[in-house]
Structure formats: C-alpha cells, structure tokens
Amino acid sequence: MRPWNWRRALLWAALTLLLLVAQTLLVALTLRYEAARGQERVDQVAVAVAARLKQIADRDLQGLQGLLWVDPQLDQGPRWAQDASVLLRSTRPILRLEYRNAQRLVARSTDSPYVSPIYLQASREEMEIETQLACAAALRQGSQQFSRSYFIVLAGGEGLEVVDLCLPQLHTGQPPNFVVATLALRYLLEEAVSEDLAREAEFSFVESDGTRLARAGLTRGAGFYLAERLVDVSGLTLQLKVDSAAGQPKLIPNLTTALVLGLSLALFVLVYLLARDGRRRAFAEHALAEALAFRHAMENSLVTGLRARDMAGTITYVNPAFCAMVGFKAEELLGQAAPPYWPPEFVDSYRRRHMSRSARWNAGEDPRQGFETVFMRAGGERFPVLIFEAPLLDAQGQQTGWMSAVLDVSDQRRVEELSRQQQDRLQATARLATVGEMASLLSHELNQPLAAIASYSAASLNLLKLEAADPETPELVRQAITRIAEQAERAGRVIKSVHDFVRRRDQSRETIAVDQLIDAVLPLVRLQARKSGTRIELDLPQPMPRVRCDRTMVEQVLLNLTRNAIQAMDGDMPLDARVLTLRARQTAASWVSIAVLDRGPGISPEVAKQLYTPFFTTRAEGMGLGLSLCRTVIEQHGGALDFFSREDGPGTEFRFTLAAAASPAKPEAAQRLSTDDVAGEST
C-alpha cells in the first residue's frame, strides 16, 4: 500500500484545487481589470477624436461661410479666388472650392495646393450627381448640406473618399448661387488625430455595413479594444471606429498581472515544497516500517542463526533460527554472559577467545573470519557449528558489540562422511568393472598353466604305470610334479594380483617408490597387452623417485590409463607399432611426473572437450567413469592430470604429477627397460 493514504491525499487535493481556483480567479480578474482599463482608454480616445472632428468641421464651416459674402458676379472674382486660396492653404481637408451660379454650373474653382487636382482622372461632370443632390437639398432647406461620400482617383493611382458640402448664397430678389467645398475624409480624420494618438490606435470612418471609407494612424489595430461613435459634423453623420494597437492583456509584460502571477507561483511553490516534504516524510516512515518488517521477515526466514553480543559478551539479540538451533528460547538467552549452549568444559576457553578477539579489534586488526566450534543443545547433545563474527557498529561508527552468523554444520559433516563412503563405493565399483573387463583375459592367462598341469598330471600317471619297467621313471615323475607346482604357482600369482587389486583399500597415505606402483599393476597390464599383441616399455630413472600417495588409488589410475592406451592401439594398427610406454621423471624437488604413452591415432578436438566428463565414453561397453575418476584422484593428491599429442609421431601422452617424498632422490640418467611380452609367447 502507498504511504500516501486517501484521506491525506483528499485534503491535499482539496487545498490544491482551492488554491488553483483562487489564483485562477485572481488572474482572471486582473486580466479583466486590465482589459477594462484598455477599453476605457479607447473610449476616451474615441470621444476626444470625435470632439476634435466637430471642432475642425465648425472651423472649416466658418471659413466657408466667409466666402458667401463675396460675390464673383459683382466684380469680386479676384477677391473670391484670393480668399478661397487662403482658406485652402489653412484647411488641408478641403481639396477644392467651387463657386456655382443659379444653374449650379461651376463659375469659378480653386484646388488645394497640398494635392494634385482631383478631377484629372475623371471629369467633374462625372461626379455631379451627389453634388447636385446636395445643392438641391440645401436650396430647399436654406442651409448647408453634405452629399453622400464618393471615391475619386488621384494622379499616381491614389484614391480618396470625399464628400461635397454645398452652401447656398441667398440674396433677396435674386436667384441663389452656391459655394461647393470638396472635403477628403482621410485628411479630415488625420487632422483630428494627434501624433501620439496615431501611435496608439487605428482610426477609421466606416459605413453601417463595416465598409471602411477612410483610415488614419501610424499602426494597425489589434482588433481587441474597439470603440465606435457616431460623429455629427455640421449635419454630416459619420461613424468613427477606433481600433487600439494594444492586444489582449498579456500575463508577463503587465506589471500588475506579473506581480499576481509571481505571488501565485510563489504560493504554489511553497505548497509544492510542503507537499513534497510531507510526502517524503510519509515515504520515509513507510520505508522504515517496511525495512523493519522486511528485517523481521528475513530474520525469521533465515536458516542461519544470528546472535548479537555487547562488548562484555552479554547476548543482546538472537533470531528464531538460532533459538531453534540450540533448543533454547530467546528469553533464556538474552542477557546471559555465559549462555547455556556453551558446553561446561569449554566455558573458560570460549571467554578467553572472546576477549582475545576484542583485543585484536582494539589493536587495529580485522577479526572477521570464520571459525569452527562446538555448541550444546538443550538436551545436552554436542554439535559442530561454523561462526562468522564481525564488529557491530552504531550510526557514528563506534563499536557497540559483535554480530555473529552461526551455521549448524552437523548435517554437512554427515553429508561429507556419506560422500566419502559413496566415493569409496564408486571406486570399488570401478575396480570391479575393470576386473570384469579382464575376466576373458584371466581365462586365457589361466588356461595355459591349467592345461600344463593337466598334461603333467596325465604324464605322471602314465609314468607311474611304467615305474617297474623303466628305472628313470621316478626322476621323470619328480620333474613332472615340479612343473605342476610351477604352473599352479603361476596361476595363483595371477589370481592373487587381481584379488589384491579388488580388495585392498588402505586409507592412509604412504611413501613408496614409483617402480613399486608400476610393478603392482604390471601383471594386470600384461594380461591385456598379450591379448592385443602390445609391447610394454618401461622408462624409469635411477635412483628411483619416491612419492607419498594413496597406493591403491594411484594404482587404479595407472591401470585405467594403461588400459585406455592399449585399447587406443586396437584395430588395423600393425603389431610391431603397438608400443605402450610407462615413464617416470622427477620434474622438481617436490614433484614427480608419471606418464603413459601410446602410439594410437590420437584424440580428436570434439572428444577432447568432453574427455573428463563423467559417463562420457567412445566405447559401447565403457562406463565413462575412468578418466573422471583418475582426474579426481590426482587432484585429491594435489597434482594435475593432462594429456598431450606425442611429438615423436602419432599417439597420445597422459601425464599426472604426485608430490615427492620428504627426501626425494635426485633424478639421474634414465634407463630404458624393455619387456617383450608378446601375445602367444610360451611361459
């Protein structure tokens, strides 16, 4: 289960949600406040520009009304033209002034000096419709009237949206004349917008459907803060649209919002740190509880006994495995300086050992090592234990006592004894298997002496019948009986050598000469060598080296290796090439090497990989235990068994080493002996 339980998680979730909602609302209100301020600013700009437009329109209207007092038809033409030019230079929105007669025809006209003449691309007659309508309305109402706006194209491709202002000149008893002023809406708007306002927003005159008629401003509007107002300019109603260049309020550039966000983030960081510390503490508590539970579970599941003692040797802790091992309860052991599982005869020695271990630790030595001792169960049974002891340190690194791991090795000792017995039985089985394979050889070897005994016995009986007739008969009978005794002794020696090999098992190691080991197995080796026609050569040094070994086991190794060598030379190999060599050398002051060499086909790499694997064999009748047993025996003696390909021709050399006796003889020149024991040779 997670240490963060659902109640604590619910409280933290509610607190986080409330903080999130509160901070979100605070930021939203701040952004709304900033938006309201921005909209209020745009509205104020729209009001100011509208007021400025009315002011400019009233000023221009007053200038135009001054022209009504001058009548070009009464010889005031130059004056009218002069006044019109002055008015155009002072009023940039007015592009053209026209004086029209009663028939509304242009009598005089003056263009603004700020733009090219507006009626170069299109004639004035093409733009008369809106002007005529405005003048007709002005005549009916007796006051100035604006026409609808229309678009004109200037030189260079530029165009402007303009309106015509028609002012009637009424004289009593005379037909009315008209003064027509063409006003550019863009220039009117630009004159109303100051340079500072032009940087803040985009200003436009738009129609009711949103069509833009004129634009002013140094920047484009962002489309977020908008203000629209209807401006009545001396009878002309225009819709003014103000689009602020400031977009939606941003979180960071705005100081107020940034402060709110900074405080909100700081609050969330504090809450996060608090939650993280609380979570860490909960995890630490949970981990501590889990560690304690795990330690108890581990200690209870261990089969190894654990024991803790203070510096004085008093027991401070034992686990259930230790209590089960010694048969005492924990209450009976805790606080005991001389525990009841110590055998009474060893109490003093155990105390001295504990004190010496503490002294070695205080002297700077590391006493952490295993040692074997004897404990006593509650029933009085003694049993061997293996103890590994190490200093017990606190959090500051100071030693407070000793921690011991105790292993009951009584079962291990029984298993070792059982293994030793099984090894002995396996070796005996291997020897019996070897003798079984030699049964046919024994029958052949014993056949000759038994046949000779039978022949000599029959001859003796026949000679006894002729004893009276032949005076030499007693001497012949004596010779025959002598031959019978010799052949019987020969058969007995063969049987005794096999019997000794099977039955002999001396557990102790002895010092023995190498030639004695070879002589002990040589009769059995000759049995198989005679059958296969193999010649045996002995290559032994003088004086003969002596080794310390288990004689029976080493003899079995020699017998297995020689038997394998003879079998390797069976088959199509010529009889004169079948040579088995037994060689011994003292390779060093403390080691003696014994080798068995054959002239067979050698060992293939595939077989060499598994040569020492138990139950691996290349012969259908083999058990696969010979070489594995040989290697085990030699390694138990501290030596090594290995094989090599012969350098002087085909064949294999199996070589093993044994420890030399305490006073080994120095190796001298080797003397090669040869015994031509060839199959079929009479004995």
Side-chain angles (χ1 to χ4, degrees), residues 19 138 181 229 355 359 363 395 447 521 599 637:
L19 287 175
R229 296 188 69 85
M355 298 304 296
N447 233 3
V521 300
R599 296 189 179 277
H637 283 75

Side-chain angles (χ1 to χ4, degrees), residues 392-415:
L392 186 62
L393 307 178
D394 58 11
Q396 288 73 34
Q398 300 295 325
Q399 183 185 5
T400 59
W402 298 90
M403 174 59 72
S404 305
V406 183
L407 298 175
D408 185 355
V409 295
S410 55
D411 292 338
Q412 180 180 350
R413 296 293 178 267
R414 286 193 293 270
V415 170

Side-chain angles (χ1 to χ4, degrees), residues 11 25 38 46 75 98 285 388-389 480 502 619 678:
L11 291 176
L25 290 176
D75 298 329
E98 297 174 347
E285 294 174 354
F388 295 90
E389 202 159 36
V502 176
R619 294 184 293 117
V678 181

Side-chain angles (χ1 to χ4, degrees), residues 455-493:
S455 299
Y456 286 128
S457 298
S460 299
L461 292 175
N462 293 330
L463 289 173
L464 289 176
K465 293 179 181 179
L466 301 175
E467 181 178 2
D470 190 355
E472 296 182 355
T473 298
E475 179 61 24
L476 293 176
V477 171
R478 186 184 63 79
Q479 293 179 0
I481 293 175
T482 302
R483 294 295 184 183
I484 290 173
E486 291 177 354
Q487 296 299 325
E489 183 181 0
R490 176 184 175 185
R493 285 199 306 270

Side-chain angles (χ1 to χ4, degrees), residues 227-274:
E228 295 185 358
R229 296 188 69 85
L230 292 176
V231 182
D232 186 7
V233 181
S234 300
L236 175 63
T237 303
L238 297 173
Q239 186 172 354
L240 175 65
K241 180 179 179 181
V242 181
D243 189 353
S244 176
Q248 185 176 1
K250 296 188 171 33
L251 297 179
I252 301 305
N254 188 281
L255 179 59
T256 306
T257 308
L259 289 176
V260 173
L261 285 177
L263 293 176
S264 301
L265 290 176
L267 181 59
F268 274 111
V269 169
L270 290 176
V271 173
Y272 169 75
L273 293 177
L274 181 61

